[in-house]
Structures are given as structure tokens and as C-alpha cells.
Amino acid sequence: MVVKLIEMELPVGEKLVVAKNRICNREDNGHLGRISIVSGIHGDELEGQYICYEVARRIGENPMALQGIVDIYPAVNPVGVAMSHRNMPRLEMDMNRIFPGNPKGDMYERAAASVVEDLIGSDICIDIHASNIFVKEIPQVRLDEESADRLLPFAKLMNVDMIWVNASETVHEATLAHSMNVLGVPSMVVEMGQGSSISRAYGNQVVDGIFNLMYEMGLWTKTPPQAQMPVISSEGKVEIICSETDGLFLPCIGNSHFVKKGDTIGEIVDPWSGKRKQSVLAGKDGLVFTLRIYPVVYPGDLIARVVTDIA
């Protein structure tokens, strides 16, 4: 059942509509629990669109296995999704920096507030993101330190490759996940893939994790695939590798690759002279969980993240 959370007129004669799809198989499901899946805060992060589709599709194949409520929010920033634009079009503001919103504020502040208000009462909220067009991320859950103790048991059920505790880029005070945790709704961020693209393999992996979580919560009766155990890391156990020069970055390994200290992650080359300008080396043993895909680099650009001292 599609439910509109807010509808507002746009200057061009169109409407901004934020909606959700509520899935349940009987009216008294509420007391059995509720999971909310949020996507599309950033319009160019499309991995969550596939996850929303696949969750709804699988439930549709086995509707009586659902013993609670699943709320799916595919496009919290619908104009951004329609334009494949990361930020709020024209305003060039990051929607994930205005939560919990303001019901009396501007258009997007009201949209954010409507989402937050509707999420209240969820037993858990999963906020799905992808990376940008420059780097690719393995499936991971990102948690802030304040909520980690409460959320880590849930995160371990998500069938991801890694859990990154205290991932500062993702747990800013004005993000959806941080706002919902403050308001008492356990919320975690799932990050995976690359901007403006969809990896069905990554998506199916995370969807398996969502159904595993639902099964453990008593919301789903059909036995899901067994979830893998993730690598767990904190902020101090992540090595961030950046370019030292400009040129073309040519990776020598794939993502989700274990490296030893001194291993070559890739090379930065000069297409004009035919010379290698930098060998990008791992500084420590660990797992490469972020790897640059877009080849043009300048000094200081992110090349890779490596989780070290793996737990």
C-alpha cells in the first residue's frame, strides 16, 4: 500500500511527493514489529532502489511468511533520484545534513521532518547508501560509537563484509541515522557499491541480510540464507590511502582484496610521457574495502581504504 507522507507544489508545475510502500498481510500486524528501509536520500545512489525492489518482490512471492510490517521508502529525495543528482536540485544542499528537519521550514526541511515523523515507532531503520562515482565500496554497515553497543547485534545479521564503527563521514549529527538514534529508533547505515550504478550481487547480498534480520526479529518465518560473519573495525583501524600526484590510477587488485604491507594496490601513470609516477602501496596488512574506480586523480584524492587489525 503506497502512502504519501507529504506532497508539495514545485515552481515548474510539478509536485514533490515523498511516499512509502507499507507491506503487511493483515491489519493486526503492528504489534509483531516493524522494519523500515530507507533509500534515495542522495539522488545518485541507486543501489538502494534495487534493494527496495528485491525486498518487495521476495515478500510478494511469500506474503504469508511476513509476520509484521515492512515500510519501504525508495526515494526520500525524489527529485534528486529522478535527475540522478546527489544533492537537492537547484539548492545544491545535501539532504542528509538537514535531519530531523523542520515541519515549518523550507520544502526539503518539511520533507525531512515528514520522513522522521513517519519512522517513529519502527523497531529498526536501515538507511541504504552507495558511494559516489569515484570509488566502490564493499557491502558494509557503518555505526557511530554512541549507538554501537545497541546496534552491533543487528549489524552482524546483515550479511555484509564489514562493520565500520565510528565512521565519521556517515554519522554526522544531521544525518537521518543519527537523528533517528537520538529519537530512540535503532538505525544503521548500509553503504555499498558505486554512485549512479547498481550491483545486483551486492544488492542480493544485503537483501539476504535484511531477511536474516527480519527472521531473527520474528518478522519473517521462512528460513533465510545463512549470513556471513563480517570483519569489524573501528576508526583507528582504517588506513586511508590518497594519491600523491596527478595522473591516471590503474588498480592492480580488486575490491574486497586482502593485502600485506608493501603490496601494490595500483599505479598512477602519466599518459603523456608513458611513465609511472607513483606506485600505491599498502601501509599495513588488511582488507581493501574502498577502491577508486574513476581513473583520473589529483594529489590528495582518495585511492583506497584498508581495514587493519581485523577482528
Side-chain angles (χ1 to χ4, degrees):
M1 177 180 64
V2 176
V3 180
K4 291 182 181 179
L5 309 184
I6 192 167
E7 181 175 338
M8 296 174 284
E9 296 287 340
L10 294 171
V12 291
E14 300 287 340
K15 293 182 178 180
L16 188 153
V17 179
V18 179
K20 70 175 181 182
N21 180 21
R22 168 158 287 189
I23 307 175
C24 57
N25 60 32
R26 63 177 190 267
E27 292 184 359
D28 64 343
N29 263 356
H31 74 281
L32 294 177
R34 173 186 169 198
I35 185 171
S36 293
I37 303 168
V38 180
S39 175
I41 292 176
H42 295 136
D44 64 344
E45 297 181 0
L46 305 178
E47 301 281 8
Q49 299 283 301
Y50 176 76
I51 287 175
C52 290
Y53 153 77
E54 184 65 10
V55 168
R57 187 192 69 80
R58 293 190 193 185
I59 295 174
E61 287 187 342
N62 297 278
M64 298 313 296
L66 181 63
Q67 297 297 306
I69 293 175
V70 177
D71 279 342
I72 299 174
Y73 304 73
V76 173
N77 177 6
V79 180
V81 171
M83 298 175 64
S84 192
H85 192 77
R86 177 178 178 81
N87 294 330
M88 296 175 284
R90 297 183 63 87
L91 299 177
E92 288 305 321
M93 293 175 60
D94 185 343
M95 191 174 186
N96 211 26
R97 295 296 183 269
I98 64 172
F99 288 99
N102 182 351
K104 296 182 180 179
D106 64 23
M107 179 176 293
Y108 277 95
E109 287 178 318
R110 283 182 280 156
S114 71
V115 172
V116 168
E117 181 181 8
D118 198 70
L119 286 170
I120 297 294
S122 302
D123 293 289
I124 194 161
C125 171
I126 302 173
D127 180 18
I128 301 170
H129 289 263
S131 189
N132 52 41
I133 64 170
F134 299 102
V135 298
K136 186 175 183 179
E137 304 275 359
I138 64 175
Q140 61 199 259
V141 172
R142 297 184 176 184
L143 306 174
D144 66 79
E145 281 186 323
E146 295 178 359
S147 306
D149 289 344
R150 177 173 57 161
L151 290 171
L152 198 55
F154 297 117
K156 289 179 179 179
L157 298 171
M158 284 295 294
N159 198 40
V160 293
D161 297 330
M162 173 186 167
I163 299 173
W164 187 4
V165 178
N166 196 22
S168 57
E169 293 179 1
T170 313
V171 295
H172 191 279
E173 288 186 0
T175 62
L176 174 67
H178 185 274
S179 298
M180 298 314 304
N181 279 316
V182 169
L183 292 170
V185 176
S187 301
M188 54 187 172
V189 173
V190 173
E191 184 103 7
M192 64 177 182
Q194 186 180 4
S196 300
S197 64
I198 291 174
S199 167
R200 292 183 69 164
Y202 283 177
N204 289 335
Q205 178 181 340
V206 171
V207 171
D208 286 347
I210 290 173
F211 278 93
N212 184 52
L213 175 62
M214 290 168 56
Y215 181 81
E216 293 297 328
M217 294 174 64
L219 304 181
W220 187 252
T221 60
K222 193 172 186 293
T223 304
Q226 185 174 1
Q228 65 181 6
M229 288 301 296
V231 169
I232 301 175
S233 176
S234 64
E235 188 91 12
K237 297 180 181 179
V238 172
E239 179 190 16
I240 298 176
I241 302 173
C242 298
S243 60
E244 298 173 0
T245 184
D246 60 350
L248 293 180
F249 173 68
L250 305 177
C252 296
I253 62 171
N255 220 341
S256 194
H257 189 97
F258 284 93
V259 293
K260 294 289 187 180
K261 180 179 179 180
D263 284 355
T264 301
I265 292 174
E267 300 174 332
I268 299 176
V269 302
D270 181 3
W272 293 89
S273 67
K275 295 180 179 180
R276 182 175 60 210
K277 301 181 72 174
Q278 179 188 347
S279 292
V280 181
L281 306 179
K284 299 179 180 180
D285 298 354
L287 172 68
V288 177
F289 70 94
T290 304
L291 184 65
R292 189 172 185 89
I293 300 299
Y294 192 79
V296 178
V297 296
Y298 295 94
D301 283 347
L302 177 64
I303 297 295
R305 295 190 188 100
V306 181
V307 54
T308 62
D309 300 326
I310 293 172

